Amino acid sequence: MELDPVLLARVQFAFTISFHIIFPSFTIGLAAWIATLEGIWLATKNDRYHELARFWTKVFAVSFAMGVVSGIVLSYQFGTNWSRYAEVVGNVVAPLIGYEVLTAFFLEATFLGIMLFGWNRVPPWLHFLACLIVAVGTCISAFWILSANSWMQFPTGHEMRDGIAYPANWLDIIFSPTFPIRYFHMVLGAFITTAFVVFAVGARWWLKGQSIAQAETAMKMALGLLIVLVPIQGYVGDTAGELVRDHQPAKLAAIEAHWGGEETPGAGVPLVVFAIPNEATETNDFQIAIPHLGSLIVTRSWDGTFPGLKTFPPEDRPPLLPPFFGFRIMVGLWALMLLTVVVGGILWARGRLFSAGLYLKAVSLMWPIGFVTVIAGWFVTEIGRQPWIATGILRTADAISPVPVGSLVFSLVLFVIVYAIVFSAGIYYINRLINKGPASVSHADEGEGDDGLRRPISAAHDAGRTAMHPGE
Amino acid sequence: MEFYLPVIWGLLIATAVALYVLLDGFDLGVGILFPFTKDEEERDQMMNSIAPFWDGNETWLILGGGGLWVAFPKAYAILMPGVYLPVIVMLLALAFRGVAFEFRFVSKPNHRWWDIAFAGGSTVAAFCQGLILGTVIDGIVVADNSYAGGPFNWLSPFSIVCGLGLVCGYALLGSGWLMMRVEGALASHARRWARPAFVGLFVFIVVVSLWTALGVPRISDRWFSAPMIYLLWPVPLVTLLLGYIGWRAIDRGLGLRTFATSVGLFLLCFIGLAISNYPYLVPPTLTVWDAAAAPDSQMFMLLGAVPLLPLILMYTAFVYWTFRGKVRPGEGYH
C-alpha cells in the first residue's frame, strides 16, 4: 500500500492538535475560576474559597504543563510538516503567532511561577494579581490563535504576489470577518467546559460526603455561571453558523448534508436530522429530514435556498462525514447541557439542588461533556475548511514539507506512543487529585513558610477548617 | 530600512536563541545532572531550584522558532524539514521532562519513572539541540528554494560532537546554578559535577573551532584573512582567560563566578558562530536578506517587539528576584 504523505501529515496534525485543544479549553476557564476564588477570598476572608483556589491550582498546574508541552509541538509543526504553508502564508500568519508569543506565552509562563510557587513568597494581593495575569494571558493567547485560524478560514487584508501572500491591511488580517464571533464562541466554550468539570467534581465530592462546604460553593458557582453562559453560547453558536453561511458555503452544505440540484420553487430546504451522506452517489442514505426547517434555520425564511454540494466541483468539496456528524454531536451535547442547567436551575430555585441524588449522580458523570463538544466543533470547523489550508490561497495537498514518508510515519508513531503515555498519566493524576479533594491540599502547607507571610493565613486556615467541617 | 530590517531581525533572533540557550540551558543541565545523585532530598532540591522558572525559560525556544518563522519564513521552511527528526525527538523529549515537573510531585512516592523522564528528556533534548546546531553549521542542502537533502543529513560525526558538547555545556550551567542556589551536600556534589562538564565543554570548543576553521573554507577565510584576523584574535584569548577563571572558581566553590564564566563561554561560542556564518541564515545558501519576510511583516512585528521584549525581560527578572536566595532542603513544592 502506498502511504499518502499529505494524509500522514494531516493525521499527525489532527492528532496533536486534538490533544492540545483539550488543555487550553480547560485552563482558560480554570485560570479565571482560580482568580475569581482568590478575589472572593481576599474580599470575604472565607477560607473555603482559599482552599478551593489552592486545590484547583494543583489541577491547573498538571493541566497547564500538558498544554505547554503539546503546544510547543504545534508551534514547530508548521515548519516540520507544513513548510510550504509556512512559506506561502508566513508573511501574514506568522506575525499573529509571533504576537501570541510576545503578548501571552511569556506572560502566562512567567507568572505561572508565582501562581504555583509564590503562595509563601509574595503577599496575597500579589498572588491574586499573578493569577489574574495568567487568566488574562490565556485569553490573549486564544485571541491570536483564533485570529490566525479565522484568517485561514476566510482570508482578508492580504494580496497575492507570485503565489505568496503579502499583508495589505493588518487590521483586516487580524479582524477578519469571522474572527470576533469565533473568538467568543471558543472562549465561551472553554468557560463552559471548565464550569462543567467544576460542577461535576463538586457533585462527586458531595455524593461522597467529602469536603461538603467546598463542594456546595463550587457547585453553586459553576451552575450559576452555566445558567448564564449555556444559553448565550446557543446564540453565539447560531451567529457563527450565519458566518459559515455567508463566507464558507461549501462547509455549510457539508454540515447540512445538503446536495441540492432538486430545487422546486416553494419547497425550501429540509433540515437533515440524521443521514449517512454518500459521496459516491451524491445522495444521503437513510435520511431523516424535517421539511423547510433547513431553510428556516439557515436563511431565516420558509422557502429560502442555499447552495448544495453539487454546486461545487468534487475537488472543492470538504470530506462530508466529520463536519456532518461533528456538528450534530456538538449541537446535541449543547442541548443536553441546556437541559442539565435548566433542571439544575429549577431544583436550585426550589431549594432541592443538594437533595436530588439522581440529578447529582448524572452531573458527576458529565465532566467530559465540554471537551467532547469542543473537539467535535473543531472537527466541523477544520475539516469543513478542506480541501484548503488557507481558503482560496493554498490547498492542503500543496502545503506539505519535502519530507520522506518514512520520517512522517516514524514521527506519527512516536507522537502516538508518547502522547498515550504522557496524557493518560496526566488524566490519571488529575483524577487522583480530584478524588482526594481540597482536604489533602491543606496538609501540604505544614512545614512550609518561614518568612512571616505564611503564618497568619495558615493559622486562620486551620481554625477555619475545623469550624467548617463539623460533620466530617 | 529594507536593508536594515533583516539585520535587526537576525540580531533579535540571535538574542532570543542565546537567551534560550542560557536560561533553559541551566534548567536542562539540572535535569542532565539528575541521575548523578540517588538521594531523594537532593533530587527534590534540584527540582525545586528550577521549578518556578523552567516554563518561562522554555518560552524563548518558542520565540526563537516563531521569530524565525515571522522574520525569515523561507529559512524556517528550509531548515525545519532539514532537521526534521532531531526537532521531533527534541519536542517529545521536552514534553516528557516538562510534564515530569508536575507528575513527579503528584505521583509521589511512585515517581521513579518521572525521575527517568525528567533526566532522560533533558539529556535527549540537549543532545538534539546540539545535533540541530551542528547540522546548520555543516550546511543545509538547498535546491529550488526548498530542502533537498536526505532524512539523515543531520547525522554526522561533527553534529554528534556538537550534541555531546551541548550536553556538557548545559551540565556546566546546571552545576553552576546549583552551586549558587543550594547549600550543603548538594552544593559540593554540584562542584564535583562541574569539573568533567567543564572539561567536556572546553574540548568541544577546541574541536569545533578547529574543525570548522580547517574544514570549512568559507569559515577559515573569515577568520584567517586580513583584516579580520587582527580584529578577531581576542576571541580565542578571552575564551582561554575565561576558562582559567572558571576552573579556579569551581575549585574554590564559587557558584556565581562559575555560572557567570560558563555564561561567558557560551556567549563567546555564540559570537564565534555568528562571525563564522554572517550573513548566512541557512549556510551556505540563504543570507538574512534572501530569507527575509515582507518588510511590512517584519516592521509590524518589530513595532510590537520593541516595547514588549524589555517588558518581558523586566517581569522575568521580577520573578527571578521573587524566588531569590538558597533553596532549603525540605521546602515544599507548591
Side-chain angles (χ1 to χ4, degrees):
Chain A
M1 197 183 101
E2 196 73 15
L3 284 166
D4 175 13
V6 177
L7 185 67
L8 282 168
R10 283 187 64 192
V11 168
Q12 185 171 321
F13 200 78
F15 179 77
T16 47
I17 205 165
S18 300
F19 264 103
H20 175 67
I21 201 167
I22 292 173
F23 301 102
S25 47
F26 184 42
T27 48
I28 289 173
L30 200 52
W33 160 245
I34 291 167
T36 309
L37 287 169
E38 269 207 75
I40 297 177
W41 172 63
L42 284 178
T44 65
K45 295 291 168 204
N46 182 336
D47 271 324
R48 75 171 71 174
Y49 295 103
H50 183 235
E51 287 178 8
L52 278 171
R54 288 207 71 154
F55 169 76
W56 283 106
T57 306
K58 291 193 181 298
V59 178
F60 183 83
V62 176
S63 320
F64 197 84
M66 289 192 276
V68 168
V69 298
S70 55
I72 294 181
V73 167
L74 291 175
S75 72
Y76 275 83
Q77 254 179 22
F78 299 125
T80 53
N81 288 1
W82 304 101
S83 65
R84 277 295 296 162
Y85 164 84
E87 198 180 341
V88 170
V89 301
N91 286 324
V92 176
V93 174
L96 306 182
I97 306 292
Y99 268 103
E100 188 201 8
V101 180
L102 289 178
T103 59
F105 276 5
F106 274 110
L107 213 56
E108 293 171 62
T110 310
F111 283 94
L112 182 74
I114 293 185
M115 184 171 169
L116 299 187
F117 305 99
W119 295 97
N120 315 324
R121 289 268 182 178
V122 297
W125 67 267
L126 190 55
H127 192 268
F128 169 60
L129 189 67
C131 293
L132 215 55
I133 289 173
V134 171
V136 171
T138 60
C139 289
I140 300 175
S141 192
F143 175 95
W144 293 109
I145 291 295
L146 266 293
S147 169
N149 186 275
S150 299
W151 186 86
M152 288 160 66
Q153 300 284 342
F154 187 76
T156 52
H158 68 287
E159 56 192 36
M160 298 299 293
R161 270 179 268 145
D162 304 324
I164 303 279
Y166 287 86
N169 182 329
W170 283 107
L171 281 179
D172 287 351
I173 290 168
I174 298 170
F175 297 98
S176 66
T178 67
F179 165 65
I181 289 296
R182 297 181 78 239
Y183 176 65
F184 286 119
H185 195 42
M186 179 69 220
V187 173
L188 277 173
F191 275 76
I192 291 172
T193 300
T194 310
F196 259 101
V197 174
V198 171
F199 195 18
V201 166
R204 199 205 285 191
W205 290 339
W206 179 273
L207 289 170
K208 278 171 43 183
Q210 154 193 23
S211 309
I212 296 292
Q214 292 89 336
E216 195 181 318
T217 304
M219 285 168 74
K220 281 183 180 165
M221 286 175 75
L223 181 58
L225 185 70
L226 285 168
I227 287 172
V228 178
L229 293 190
V230 173
I232 293 179
Q233 182 71 311
Y235 173 75
V236 172
D238 184 63
T239 315
E242 278 180 45
L243 293 168
V244 173
R245 176 193 71 201
D246 296 344
H247 300 293
Q248 296 179 293
K251 183 194 277 186
L252 176 74
I255 288 172
E256 300 291 338
H258 169 49
W259 291 95
E262 64 245 8
E263 282 81 1
T264 42
V269 180
L271 180 80
V272 180
V273 180
F274 184 83
I276 311 279
N278 187 330
E279 293 182 41
T281 60
E282 302 198 331
T283 52
N284 294 333
D285 304 339
F286 317 114
Q287 171 169 305
I288 303 168
I290 302 167
H292 289 287
L293 196 56
S295 295
L296 206 60
I297 292 174
V298 174
T299 68
R300 318 287 191 214
S301 79
W302 182 246
D303 50 9
T305 58
F306 56 95
L309 283 161
K310 286 181 186 168
T311 329
F312 307 95
E315 69 273 16
D316 287 347
R317 296 174 195 165
L320 281 185
L321 297 184
F324 179 77
F325 286 110
F327 185 77
R328 272 144 196 80
I329 292 169
M330 175 178 75
V331 175
L333 290 177
W334 171 77
L336 183 60
M337 291 182 197
L338 190 64
L339 181 72
T340 310
V341 300
V342 167
V343 172
I346 293 169
L347 287 172
W348 192 0
R350 293 184 178 172
R352 287 177 45 209
L353 180 60
F354 295 98
S355 54
L358 195 64
Y359 177 74
L360 293 181
K361 180 86 190 126
V363 166
S364 73
L365 297 175
M366 282 176 78
W367 65 268
I369 193 166
F371 298 110
V372 181
T373 315
V374 166
I375 292 174
W378 274 101
F379 270 63
V380 175
T381 207
E382 298 306 287
I383 298 174
R385 187 190 63 223
Q386 303 301 329
W388 300 97
I389 197 165
T391 308
I393 294 177
L394 184 66
R395 282 174 189 270
T396 309
D398 300 326
I400 194 170
S401 297
V403 170
V405 169
S407 300
L408 287 165
V409 173
F410 174 77
S411 60
L412 178 60
V413 170
L414 219 55
F415 273 116
V416 172
I417 294 171
V418 171
Y419 278 37
I421 296 170
V422 166
F423 294 115
S424 45
I427 289 159
Y428 170 77
Y429 293 137
I430 289 180
N431 196 44
R432 216 172 61 170
L433 279 174
I434 287 172
N435 269 338
K436 283 186 194 161
S440 66
V441 174
S442 20
H443 293 298
D445 299 347
E446 288 153 24
E448 276 184 22
D450 39 65
D451 47 9
L453 285 168
R454 178 79 221 137
R455 279 292 141 222
I457 301 165
S458 183
H461 193 240
D462 291 342
R465 212 150 55 85
T466 39
M468 259 176 2
H469 304 213
E472 273 184 72
Chain B
M1 202 59 196
E2 294 211 4
F3 178 81
Y4 291 108
L5 265 176
V7 180
I8 293 170
W9 269 107
L11 285 172
L12 274 177
I13 288 166
T15 310
V17 172
L19 277 166
Y20 171 74
V21 167
L22 295 175
L23 292 174
D24 213 24
F26 77 72
D27 70 54
L28 285 166
V30 170
I32 294 167
L33 297 171
F34 213 55
F36 293 98
T37 173
K38 299 275 178 279
D39 185 285
E40 185 61 22
E41 205 167 74
E42 290 188 10
R43 286 192 170 181
D44 284 355
Q45 264 182 287
M46 289 170 83
M47 204 91 171
N48 288 342
S49 79
I50 52 174
F53 313 114
W54 74 271
D55 197 357
N57 294 347
E58 204 164 284
T59 307
W60 292 97
L61 179 68
I62 310 183
L63 186 65
L68 188 65
W69 185 25
V70 173
F72 305 103
K74 220 179 257 175
Y76 183 72
I78 291 170
L79 283 175
M80 287 299 147
V83 288
Y84 186 88
L85 293 173
V87 166
I88 300 274
V89 172
M90 172 192 79
L91 294 172
L92 290 172
L94 288 175
F96 261 119
R97 85 179 279 271
V99 296
F101 281 92
E102 298 300 329
F103 287 8
R104 186 177 177 275
F105 172 71
V106 293
S107 64
K108 279 197 168 193
N110 304 311
H111 58 278
R112 211 173 75 85
W113 283 103
W114 296 114
D115 283 8
I116 296 170
F118 179 57
S122 304
T123 312
V124 170
F127 185 70
C128 287
Q129 287 170 10
L131 286 177
I132 294 166
L133 173 75
T135 310
V136 175
I137 300 174
D138 238 0
I140 301 281
V141 186
V142 179
D144 294 334
N145 269 324
S146 74
Y147 179 67
F152 293 100
N153 276 26
W154 48 270
L155 189 64
S156 69
F158 178 71
S159 63
I160 291 172
V161 167
C162 290
L164 295 173
L166 208 57
V167 171
C168 289
Y170 283 175
L172 179 64
L173 283 171
S175 29
W177 170 261
L178 287 175
M179 285 163 73
M180 283 195 297
R181 296 302 309 272
V182 301
E183 282 168 337
L186 182 56
S188 55
H189 285 163
R191 200 170 114 199
R192 215 169 57 216
W193 300 326
R195 287 205 189 93
F198 191 92
V199 173
L201 176 66
F202 232 83
V203 169
F204 158 78
I205 291 174
V206 172
V207 170
V208 169
S209 305
L210 292 177
W211 201 318
T212 50
L214 302 176
V216 188
R218 161 176 65 84
I219 296 177
S220 53
D221 283 355
R222 170 72 40 89
W223 286 84
F224 298 121
S225 62
M228 291 304 272
I229 193 163
Y230 303 112
L231 294 170
L232 293 179
W233 64 265
V235 177
L237 206 72
V238 174
T239 307
L240 277 174
L241 185 69
L242 275 183
Y244 173 75
I245 298 173
W247 186 252
R248 292 259 302 151
I250 295 171
D251 254 0
R252 293 155 58 191
L254 301 173
L256 181 63
R257 196 175 290 177
T258 306
F259 189 74
T261 45
S262 39
V263 166
L265 285 174
F266 261 98
L267 286 177
L268 280 167
C269 294
F270 204 73
I271 292 167
L273 284 175
I275 293 170
S276 297
N277 290 296
Y278 177 86
Y280 290 107
L281 206 61
V282 183
T285 35
L286 284 190
T287 66
V288 286
W289 296 283
D290 299 329
D296 270 357
S297 305
Q298 287 193 333
M299 198 63 204
F300 174 63
M301 197 68 222
L302 192 62
L303 288 177
V306 166
L308 286 168
L309 277 175
L311 188 69
I312 290 167
L313 288 170
M314 270 158 57
Y315 62 66
T316 302
F318 170 71
V319 170
Y320 273 84
W321 181 77
T322 301
F323 294 98
R324 70 198 175 279
K326 301 274 183 185
V327 179
R328 275 167 294 269
E331 199 168 20
Y333 184 74
H334 276 255

